Short mmCIF file of all heavy atoms in Angstrom, two decimals:
data_model
loop_
_atom_site.label_atom_id
_atom_site.label_comp_id
_atom_site.label_asym_id
_atom_site.label_seq_id
_atom_site.Cartn_x
_atom_site.Cartn_y
_atom_site.Cartn_z
N ILE A 1506 5.32 23.06 -10.66
CA ILE A 1506 4.23 24.03 -10.77
C ILE A 1506 4.77 25.43 -10.44
O ILE A 1506 5.92 25.55 -10.02
CB ILE A 1506 3.03 23.72 -9.84
CG1 ILE A 1506 3.50 23.48 -8.40
CG2 ILE A 1506 2.25 22.52 -10.32
CD1 ILE A 1506 3.46 24.66 -7.53
N GLU A 1507 3.92 26.43 -10.61
CA GLU A 1507 4.34 27.80 -10.29
C GLU A 1507 3.47 28.38 -9.20
O GLU A 1507 2.29 28.07 -9.11
CB GLU A 1507 4.18 28.67 -11.54
CG GLU A 1507 5.15 28.30 -12.62
CD GLU A 1507 4.80 28.96 -13.94
OE1 GLU A 1507 4.27 30.09 -13.95
OE2 GLU A 1507 5.06 28.32 -14.97
N THR A 1508 4.08 29.24 -8.41
CA THR A 1508 3.37 29.95 -7.34
C THR A 1508 3.85 31.40 -7.39
O THR A 1508 5.04 31.64 -7.59
CB THR A 1508 3.72 29.32 -5.98
OG1 THR A 1508 3.48 27.92 -6.05
CG2 THR A 1508 2.90 29.92 -4.86
N ILE A 1509 2.93 32.33 -7.25
CA ILE A 1509 3.31 33.74 -7.39
C ILE A 1509 2.87 34.53 -6.16
O ILE A 1509 1.74 34.38 -5.70
CB ILE A 1509 2.65 34.35 -8.65
CG1 ILE A 1509 3.09 33.56 -9.89
CG2 ILE A 1509 3.02 35.83 -8.81
CD1 ILE A 1509 2.36 33.92 -11.15
N VAL A 1510 3.76 35.38 -5.67
CA VAL A 1510 3.38 36.28 -4.57
C VAL A 1510 3.27 37.69 -5.13
O VAL A 1510 4.18 38.17 -5.80
CB VAL A 1510 4.41 36.24 -3.43
CG1 VAL A 1510 4.05 37.26 -2.35
CG2 VAL A 1510 4.45 34.84 -2.82
N MET A 1511 2.12 38.30 -4.89
CA MET A 1511 1.89 39.67 -5.37
C MET A 1511 1.83 40.60 -4.17
O MET A 1511 1.21 40.28 -3.16
CB MET A 1511 0.57 39.72 -6.15
CG MET A 1511 0.63 38.86 -7.40
SD MET A 1511 -0.99 38.27 -7.96
CE MET A 1511 -1.46 37.14 -6.71
N LYS A 1512 2.49 41.73 -4.32
CA LYS A 1512 2.56 42.68 -3.19
C LYS A 1512 1.56 43.82 -3.42
O LYS A 1512 1.60 44.47 -4.47
CB LYS A 1512 3.98 43.26 -3.09
CG LYS A 1512 5.10 42.21 -3.14
CD LYS A 1512 5.52 41.80 -1.75
CE LYS A 1512 6.40 40.57 -1.74
NZ LYS A 1512 7.82 40.84 -1.91
N TYR A 1513 0.70 44.00 -2.45
CA TYR A 1513 -0.26 45.11 -2.52
C TYR A 1513 -0.13 45.95 -1.26
O TYR A 1513 0.40 45.47 -0.25
CB TYR A 1513 -1.70 44.59 -2.61
CG TYR A 1513 -1.99 43.76 -3.83
CD1 TYR A 1513 -2.07 42.37 -3.73
CD2 TYR A 1513 -2.20 44.35 -5.07
CE1 TYR A 1513 -2.35 41.59 -4.85
CE2 TYR A 1513 -2.47 43.58 -6.19
CZ TYR A 1513 -2.55 42.20 -6.08
OH TYR A 1513 -2.82 41.44 -7.18
N LYS A 1514 -0.68 47.16 -1.33
CA LYS A 1514 -0.62 48.04 -0.14
C LYS A 1514 -1.31 47.38 1.05
O LYS A 1514 -0.85 47.45 2.18
CB LYS A 1514 -1.30 49.37 -0.46
CG LYS A 1514 -0.36 50.35 -1.14
CD LYS A 1514 -0.97 51.75 -1.15
CE LYS A 1514 -0.50 52.52 -2.37
NZ LYS A 1514 -1.46 52.54 -3.47
N HIS A 1515 -2.43 46.70 0.76
CA HIS A 1515 -3.20 46.11 1.87
C HIS A 1515 -2.66 44.75 2.33
O HIS A 1515 -3.22 44.13 3.22
CB HIS A 1515 -4.67 45.99 1.48
CG HIS A 1515 -4.89 45.12 0.27
ND1 HIS A 1515 -5.02 45.63 -0.99
CD2 HIS A 1515 -4.96 43.78 0.14
CE1 HIS A 1515 -5.18 44.63 -1.85
NE2 HIS A 1515 -5.15 43.50 -1.20
N GLY A 1516 -1.57 44.29 1.73
CA GLY A 1516 -0.99 43.01 2.17
C GLY A 1516 -0.53 42.17 1.01
O GLY A 1516 -0.75 42.52 -0.16
N ASN A 1517 0.09 41.04 1.32
CA ASN A 1517 0.61 40.17 0.26
C ASN A 1517 -0.39 39.06 -0.04
O ASN A 1517 -1.07 38.56 0.84
CB ASN A 1517 1.94 39.57 0.70
CG ASN A 1517 2.96 40.65 1.02
OD1 ASN A 1517 3.01 41.66 0.32
ND2 ASN A 1517 3.74 40.45 2.06
N SER A 1518 -0.40 38.70 -1.31
CA SER A 1518 -1.35 37.71 -1.78
C SER A 1518 -0.59 36.62 -2.53
O SER A 1518 0.35 36.93 -3.27
CB SER A 1518 -2.29 38.45 -2.75
OG SER A 1518 -3.44 37.76 -2.95
N VAL A 1519 -0.97 35.37 -2.33
CA VAL A 1519 -0.29 34.30 -3.08
C VAL A 1519 -1.26 33.64 -4.05
O VAL A 1519 -2.42 33.40 -3.74
CB VAL A 1519 0.34 33.24 -2.13
CG1 VAL A 1519 -0.68 32.53 -1.27
CG2 VAL A 1519 1.11 32.20 -2.94
N CYS A 1520 -0.75 33.40 -5.25
CA CYS A 1520 -1.53 32.70 -6.27
C CYS A 1520 -0.99 31.28 -6.35
O CYS A 1520 0.16 31.08 -6.72
CB CYS A 1520 -1.36 33.44 -7.59
SG CYS A 1520 -2.12 32.62 -8.99
N ILE A 1521 -1.79 30.29 -5.97
CA ILE A 1521 -1.28 28.92 -5.94
C ILE A 1521 -1.88 28.06 -7.06
O ILE A 1521 -2.94 28.33 -7.59
CB ILE A 1521 -1.47 28.24 -4.56
CG1 ILE A 1521 -2.93 27.93 -4.31
CG2 ILE A 1521 -0.91 29.08 -3.42
CD1 ILE A 1521 -3.09 27.07 -3.06
N SER A 1522 -1.13 27.02 -7.40
CA SER A 1522 -1.56 26.09 -8.46
C SER A 1522 -2.33 24.93 -7.83
O SER A 1522 -2.09 24.56 -6.68
CB SER A 1522 -0.33 25.53 -9.19
OG SER A 1522 0.31 26.56 -9.91
N SER A 1523 -3.25 24.35 -8.62
CA SER A 1523 -4.06 23.25 -8.11
C SER A 1523 -3.81 21.93 -8.86
O SER A 1523 -4.23 20.87 -8.40
CB SER A 1523 -5.55 23.61 -8.19
OG SER A 1523 -5.89 23.94 -9.52
N GLN A 1524 -3.17 22.00 -10.02
CA GLN A 1524 -2.86 20.79 -10.79
C GLN A 1524 -1.51 20.97 -11.49
O GLN A 1524 -1.07 22.11 -11.70
CB GLN A 1524 -3.92 20.54 -11.88
CG GLN A 1524 -5.32 20.27 -11.35
CD GLN A 1524 -6.33 20.05 -12.48
OE1 GLN A 1524 -6.40 20.85 -13.42
NE2 GLN A 1524 -7.13 19.01 -12.37
N VAL A 1525 -0.89 19.86 -11.87
CA VAL A 1525 0.27 19.93 -12.75
C VAL A 1525 -0.32 19.88 -14.15
O VAL A 1525 -0.86 18.86 -14.57
CB VAL A 1525 1.23 18.74 -12.54
CG1 VAL A 1525 2.42 18.87 -13.49
CG2 VAL A 1525 1.71 18.68 -11.09
N GLY A 1526 -0.25 21.00 -14.86
CA GLY A 1526 -0.90 21.10 -16.17
C GLY A 1526 -2.40 21.31 -16.00
O GLY A 1526 -2.87 21.58 -14.89
N CYS A 1527 -3.12 21.19 -17.09
CA CYS A 1527 -4.56 21.46 -17.05
C CYS A 1527 -5.19 20.84 -18.29
O CYS A 1527 -4.56 20.77 -19.34
CB CYS A 1527 -4.77 22.98 -17.06
SG CYS A 1527 -6.50 23.48 -16.96
N ARG A 1528 -6.45 20.39 -18.15
CA ARG A 1528 -7.07 19.78 -19.33
C ARG A 1528 -8.20 20.62 -19.90
O ARG A 1528 -8.99 20.13 -20.72
CB ARG A 1528 -7.54 18.37 -19.03
CG ARG A 1528 -8.54 18.30 -17.92
CD ARG A 1528 -8.98 16.86 -17.75
NE ARG A 1528 -9.97 16.76 -16.70
CZ ARG A 1528 -10.91 15.85 -16.66
NH1 ARG A 1528 -11.02 14.96 -17.61
NH2 ARG A 1528 -11.76 15.82 -15.67
N MET A 1529 -8.31 21.88 -19.47
CA MET A 1529 -9.44 22.68 -19.92
C MET A 1529 -9.27 23.20 -21.36
O MET A 1529 -10.24 23.51 -22.03
CB MET A 1529 -9.72 23.84 -18.95
CG MET A 1529 -9.94 23.42 -17.51
SD MET A 1529 -11.03 21.99 -17.30
CE MET A 1529 -12.60 22.70 -17.73
N GLY A 1530 -8.04 23.36 -21.79
CA GLY A 1530 -7.79 23.71 -23.20
C GLY A 1530 -8.12 25.13 -23.62
O GLY A 1530 -8.35 25.38 -24.81
N CYS A 1531 -8.14 26.09 -22.69
CA CYS A 1531 -8.44 27.48 -23.08
C CYS A 1531 -7.38 27.96 -24.09
O CYS A 1531 -6.19 27.74 -23.90
CB CYS A 1531 -8.44 28.38 -21.85
SG CYS A 1531 -9.68 27.89 -20.63
N SER A 1532 -7.86 28.63 -25.13
CA SER A 1532 -6.99 28.88 -26.28
C SER A 1532 -5.87 29.88 -25.99
O SER A 1532 -4.88 29.90 -26.68
CB SER A 1532 -7.81 29.37 -27.45
OG SER A 1532 -8.29 30.67 -27.16
N PHE A 1533 -6.01 30.70 -24.95
CA PHE A 1533 -5.03 31.75 -24.67
C PHE A 1533 -4.07 31.38 -23.55
O PHE A 1533 -3.22 32.16 -23.17
CB PHE A 1533 -5.77 33.04 -24.28
CG PHE A 1533 -6.88 32.76 -23.30
CD1 PHE A 1533 -6.61 32.61 -21.96
CD2 PHE A 1533 -8.18 32.55 -23.75
CE1 PHE A 1533 -7.61 32.28 -21.07
CE2 PHE A 1533 -9.20 32.21 -22.86
CZ PHE A 1533 -8.91 32.08 -21.51
N CYS A 1534 -4.23 30.20 -22.97
CA CYS A 1534 -3.56 29.89 -21.70
C CYS A 1534 -2.35 28.97 -21.88
O CYS A 1534 -2.42 27.96 -22.57
CB CYS A 1534 -4.56 29.25 -20.75
SG CYS A 1534 -3.87 28.88 -19.13
#
Side-chain angles (χ1 to χ4, degrees):
I1506 50 94
E1507 292 168 33
T1508 307
I1509 302 171
V1510 176
M1511 296 154 292
K1512 312 266 168 87
Y1513 298 103
K1514 275 193 211 99
H1515 60 263
N1517 301 321
S1518 198
V1519 61
C1520 174
I1521 71 171
S1522 293
S1523 56
Q1524 296 179 311
V1525 180
C1527 182
R1528 60 177 181 151
M1529 304 315 289
C1531 300
S1532 69
F1533 45 81
C1534 182

